[in-house]
Amino acid sequence: MSRHGGKVLVDQLVVHGADTVFSVPGESFIALLDGLYDSPLHLITCRHEAGAANMADAYGKLTGRPGIAVVTRGPGATHASVGVHTAFQDSTPLILLVGQVASDQEEREAFQEVDYRRMFGPMAKWVAQIDRVDRIPEYVARAFSTACAGRPGPVVLALPEDMLAAEADVRDGEPFHVVQPHPAPEQIESLRGLLERAERPFVLLGGAGWTRRTSHDMQAFVEANELPTGAAFRRQDSLDNDSPSYAGDVGIGINPKLAARVRDADVLLVVGPRLGEMTTSGYTLIEKQTLVHVHPGAEELGRVYRPSLPILSGMEQFAAAVRDLRVEPRWREATREARADYEAWQRHDPMPGTLDLGDCIAHLRERVPDAIVTNGAGNFTVWVHRFWRFHDYPTQLAPTSGAMGYGVPAAVAAKLVRPERTVICFAGDGDFLMSGQELAAAVQYDLPIVVLVVNNGMYGTIRMHQELNYPGRVIGTDLVNPDFAAYARAFGAHGETVTETAQFAEALERALAAGRPALLELQIDPEAINPRTTLSKLRAAALK
């Protein structure tokens, strides 16, 4: 039966197990929109292409299957590029479908024309253009396979509008299969030998390609061997944070005692992380350790650090291989000390001002301990990293790329994928206004997320660095903000302003009971720049 290209493409998405598409509609892919009309796919209309791409990234993180975003040519693609970059650095399976000018107009700088191979080449696993309707099944199958194989990541397919409108009698493809390497038995035996001889081992978990089974198997392994274990930057849900082996997150604002423990390890078992700048504290944590690096991408093994034992493996495959591995731990006391250091690190001194963010997070931990937590970027996230406890995988949606504006779109996607779970989004005041319009999508699709806007009236991270490096010379970081609660109500969401810690618990209950999207604006003292110090102390220290 003859079908136009838009219908053929949508049918391939269904063949490969997609169930949701995130999009801002565009004239360059009208035929694809028509293909969605009678399909079983759930189309989520977003208010900005960055929101659509970030929702697709969050979907990929939650499901392990490619999130699908569809955007128009030119401006639509450039807006969506932030989500592609996040998916690349976070190793998230994602497929971005981009409308393109008609084939007879290419290379003329036609209206909104961009060469997507050149544009997305450095930040995608594969970029291609489908020029023939009869090859759509081939390209889409390859896109799904590429996005999920080895180190997962984003794929971009450009779709000329005349190709989407053209008709052909073409057979559907076959469902794709995820291909991941397995560790060799001799590598597991080598790991056993290294651990048996170790005096100060440390395990670092994270990266992409994890599943709930991976987390459970790794928990069984590290607890049975009483191994002190940390989580890489924004991968804190890799291990139940209540585990006696869990020693904290190895990322921004790291506990100095934890950093010392990583540096002093004689055997460092890294399962999943790429060992990038954030996880290694600017490439300073790894020096003399015997490094065992487990990663699904061969290109990462030895890219920055030369492991003594490189293991090319998928996360689930490696975790299954070591679940029952046992050695006699000589480091029990060190593991207990690491755990005690983590517990102490979760206690905090009172913040300046009338609202203490640490106390609010402590209450949230008790009230909604199994919530999915999302956030964008900014100094406010340091409180989340330090004081929240993750108990299940996947429950942390945060960009390791450090992209602002991620939290609200991620929360929308999370509530779509896991409607039974409470979804809490933490956003800074500057961070929120990069994607706050996606509250419209949350209202439109009846997704009762809870957004906590931490308002200190500034771009806090940059202000902190200004005070550290150019004390007293503040420029460009002050913000004049709207009434965030009124902003939320304007969309049809529940909105309240919280100025005192004592108000938070009751405001949270009203937000959770609202039955619709809710926003609580948490007004904190600008002096509270991070959980360790204040702006005044930073400035005084810099001026000495």
Side-chain angles (χ1 to χ4, degrees), residues 37 46 62 100 202 238 250 260 269 311 354-355 384 386 443 498:
Y37 185 82
C46 308
L62 283 167
Q100 177 61 298
F202 192 87
S238 301
V250 182
L269 171 58
I311 300 178
T354 58
L355 191 148
V384 183
R386 180 168 169 180
V443 170
V498 180

Side-chain angles (χ1 to χ4, degrees), residues 264-305:
D264 292 342
D266 57 353
V267 173
L268 182 60
L269 171 58
V270 177
V271 184
R274 292 190 298 109
L275 296 177
E277 177 188 358
M278 293 296 100
T279 296
T280 62
S281 295
Y283 304 102
T284 64
L285 290 184
I286 300 176
E287 294 177 357
K288 300 178 182 178
Q289 305 96 323
T290 296
L291 176 62
V292 180
H293 194 182
V294 184
H295 198 275
E299 70 281 359
E300 285 298 324
L301 296 173
R303 182 178 187 177
V304 179
Y305 297 100

Side-chain angles (χ1 to χ4, degrees), residues 97-320:
L97 303 173
V98 183
Q100 177 61 298
V101 301
S103 302
D104 63 352
Q105 297 176 4
E106 288 185 86
E107 301 294 343
R108 293 177 172 177
E109 198 183 346
F111 180 61
Q112 298 180 335
E113 182 182 5
V114 174
D115 182 338
Y116 298 111
R117 291 185 180 90
R118 295 175 64 189
M119 174 182 169
F120 287 108
M123 56 179 170
K125 289 187 72 177
W126 180 47
V127 186
Q129 180 167 302
I130 308 178
D131 292 316
R132 293 169 50 121
V133 177
D134 60 352
R135 293 191 67 183
I136 289 176
E138 170 197 343
Y139 275 81
V140 175
R142 180 176 170 186
F144 274 84
S145 296
T146 301
C148 294
R151 175 189 170 188
V155 168
V156 180
L157 293 179
L159 312 169
E161 58 182 314
D162 57 325
M163 183 277 297
L164 288 175
E167 294 200 359
D169 186 354
V170 56
R171 292 177 57 185
D172 291 335
E174 296 293 328
F176 84 108
H177 298 282
V178 178
V179 178
Q180 287 288 357
H182 290 63
E186 56 267 27
Q187 292 176 319
I188 301 302
E189 285 306 305
S190 295
L191 173 61
R192 181 197 303 274
L194 288 171
L195 290 175
E196 285 176 343
R197 296 187 294 274
E199 298 290 340
R200 301 177 308 282
F202 192 87
V203 180
L204 179 58
L205 306 179
W210 283 66
T211 64
R212 183 169 294 163
R213 177 181 173 183
T214 304
S215 179
H216 290 171
D217 284 354
M218 287 306 302
Q219 183 168 349
F221 166 67
V222 298
E223 288 185 359
N225 295 289
E226 300 185 55
L227 287 159
T229 305
F233 177 55
R234 293 184 171 170
R235 305 292 192 180
Q236 291 164 253
D237 57 350
S238 301
L239 179 67
D240 184 349
N241 294 178
D242 283 344
S243 167
S245 284
Y246 186 72
D249 63 300
V250 182
I252 292 176
I254 187 173
N255 181 349
K257 291 184 178 180
L258 178 58
R261 199 171 298 277
V262 176
R263 287 192 184 96
D264 292 342
D266 57 353
V267 173
L268 182 60
L269 171 58
V270 177
V271 184
R274 292 190 298 109
L275 296 177
E277 177 188 358
M278 293 296 100
T279 296
T280 62
S281 295
Y283 304 102
T284 64
L285 290 184
I286 300 176
E287 294 177 357
K288 300 178 182 178
Q289 305 96 323
T290 296
L291 176 62
V292 180
H293 194 182
V294 184
H295 198 275
E299 70 281 359
E300 285 298 324
L301 296 173
R303 182 178 187 177
V304 179
Y305 297 100
R306 304 296 297 181
S308 301
L309 177 58
I311 300 178
L312 182 66
S313 176
M315 296 300 95
E316 191 168 273
Q317 293 75 13
F318 177 81

Side-chain angles (χ1 to χ4, degrees), residues 363-364 367 424 450 504-513 520:
H363 176 77
L364 277 164
R367 179 64 180 83
I424 305 291
V450 177
F504 179 74
E506 291 185 1
L508 176 66
E509 291 307 313
R510 290 189 290 271
L512 292 170
L520 300 181

Side-chain angles (χ1 to χ4, degrees), residues 18 27 57 88 166 290 386 413 434 517:
E27 64 193 67
D57 176 89
F88 189 74
T290 296
R386 180 168 169 180
M434 292 194 176

